[in-house]
């Protein structure tokens, strides 16, 4: 079975500082990895995905994520955080070998202070 | 880009009544839609996979008779919470997959429905 772990319930960072939201995954085959952001009482917005190719993936709003196969990680990063980045972030994985649904991590709340 | 419209965004209903939530793909066709439930400060729990023209596939532990799913067209899936109880209060989110795009690209989410049963 596939799974996703987001070890931090909450990440606090000051505006202008770099941020990292951690994600590790487990799948039986090659992973397709995703990051989504959720604002209060809203659905999920797609940020970025890793399918194949370059391990560093760039996405929306200045976010990027680095795929590390040996560490089975896909951490979300941003060089300079904004207060408006404060939201709930979900990492998700899908196994390309046939499982058609996404498995989500439990989410990490990012709080960016002014 | 692909847009999924979910309606209503908020609903309050009395215990024992039924509530229908709609999920529409506005600019693409979706043979498959997914229904999730999200508890406060928790992740999304997949409830069921809705397939156009066939019965939905429910995840283990989800009551089929309580959460009725209908996917009668390529652009509309509905989730009906029957005989709602306060414990059904939650945030429900749908997701649709574009039939014309590779499966791994086509996950677009609705904006969610906050259900409160009083």
């Amino acid at each position: 079975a596939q799974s996703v772990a987001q070890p931090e319930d909450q990440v606090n960072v000051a505006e202008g500082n770099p941020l990292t939201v951690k994600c590790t995954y487990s799948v039986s085959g090659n992973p397709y990895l995703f990051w989504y952001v959720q604002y209060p009482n809203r659905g999920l917005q797609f940020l970025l995905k890793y399918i194949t190719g370059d391990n560093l993936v760039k996405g929306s709003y200045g976010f990027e994520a680095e795929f590390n196969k040996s560490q089975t990680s896909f951490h979300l990063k941003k060089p300079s955080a904004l207060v408006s980045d404060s939201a709930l972030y979900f990492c998700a994985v899908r196994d390309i070998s046939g499982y058609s649904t996404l498995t989500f991590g439990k989410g990490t709340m990012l709080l960016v202070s002014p | 880009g692909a847009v999924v419209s979910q309606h209503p965004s908020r609903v309050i209903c009395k215990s024992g009544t039924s509530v229908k939530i709609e999920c529409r793909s506005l600019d693409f066709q979706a043979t498959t839609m997914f229904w999730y439930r999200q508890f406060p400060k928790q992740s999304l729990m997949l409830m069921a996979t809705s397939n156009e023209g066939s019965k939905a596939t429910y995840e283990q532990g989800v009551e089929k008779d309580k959460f009725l799913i209908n996917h009668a067209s390529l652009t509309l899936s509905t989730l009906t919470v029957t005989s709602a109880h306060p414990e059904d209060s939650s945030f429900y989110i749908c997701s649709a997959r574009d039939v014309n795009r590779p499966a791994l690209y086509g996950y677009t989410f609705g904006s969610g429905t906050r259900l409160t049963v009083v």
Side-chain angles (χ1 to χ4, degrees):
Chain A
Q2 57 194 41
S3 64
V4 176
Q6 292 181 243
E8 303 151 317
D9 290 337
Q10 184 168 306
V11 169
N12 297 298
V13 65
E15 188 173 35
N17 285 355
L19 69 87
T20 299
V21 182
K22 296 179 181 178
C23 170
T24 58
Y25 66 90
S26 174
V27 293
S28 57
N30 291 322
Y32 289 156
L33 294 154
F34 304 80
W35 275 102
Y36 290 88
V37 60
Q38 184 182 32
Y39 296 97
N41 291 310
R42 301 296 300 273
L44 273 66
Q45 295 180 28
F46 171 80
L47 277 181
L48 52 80
K49 64 179 181 291
Y50 171 82
I51 306 299
T52 185
D54 195 348
N55 289 343
L56 184 63
V57 178
K58 294 187 182 297
S60 306
Y61 313 120
F63 284 93
E64 58 188 28
E66 186 168 11
F67 171 63
N68 188 316
K69 188 173 183 177
S70 63
Q71 297 184 4
T72 61
S73 67
F74 189 57
H75 300 332
L76 181 69
K77 300 181 179 183
K78 187 173 182 180
S80 178
L82 299 172
V83 173
S84 57
D85 292 330
S86 298
L88 186 59
Y89 291 80
F90 289 100
C91 180
V93 67
R94 179 185 169 228
D95 185 340
I96 66 170
S97 62
Y99 196 69
S100 62
T101 60
L102 290 176
T103 298
F104 288 88
K106 62 179 175 65
T108 299
M109 178 62 71
L110 172 66
L111 292 178
V112 182
S113 55
Chain B
V3 177
V4 171
S5 173
Q6 188 172 340
H7 180 80
S9 58
R10 290 177 180 269
V11 58
I12 300 173
C13 71
K14 292 184 178 180
S15 290
T17 62
S18 296
V19 174
K20 180 184 286 187
I21 302 170
E22 294 187 347
C23 182
R24 293 181 183 272
S25 56
L26 297 186
D27 50 1
F28 65 97
Q29 294 182 327
T31 53
T32 304
M33 292 186 176
F34 304 93
W35 287 96
Y36 294 86
R37 182 173 179 176
Q38 185 179 28
F39 293 97
K41 298 185 179 181
Q42 293 191 28
S43 187
L44 285 78
M45 179 191 77
L46 179 65
M47 298 174 65
T49 300
S50 169
N51 298 298
E52 186 268 335
S54 64
K55 292 182 178 180
T57 303
Y58 289 82
E59 296 298 304
Q60 191 173 7
V62 178
E63 298 178 60
K64 302 178 183 180
D65 295 333
K66 180 162 195 61
F67 298 100
L68 299 179
I69 291 174
N70 183 278
H71 194 157
S73 77
L74 285 172
T75 59
L76 175 64
S77 175
T78 60
L79 168 67
T80 301
V81 182
T82 63
S83 187
H85 290 283
E87 56 265 31
D88 298 326
S89 299
S90 194
F91 194 60
Y92 294 87
I93 306 175
C94 71
S95 169
R97 191 166 69 193
D98 189 336
V99 67
N100 292 317
R101 301 171 74 190
L104 53 90
Y105 290 97
Y107 295 94
T108 303
F109 287 82
S111 56
T113 298
R114 172 71 62 191
L115 170 63
T116 303
V117 184
V118 297

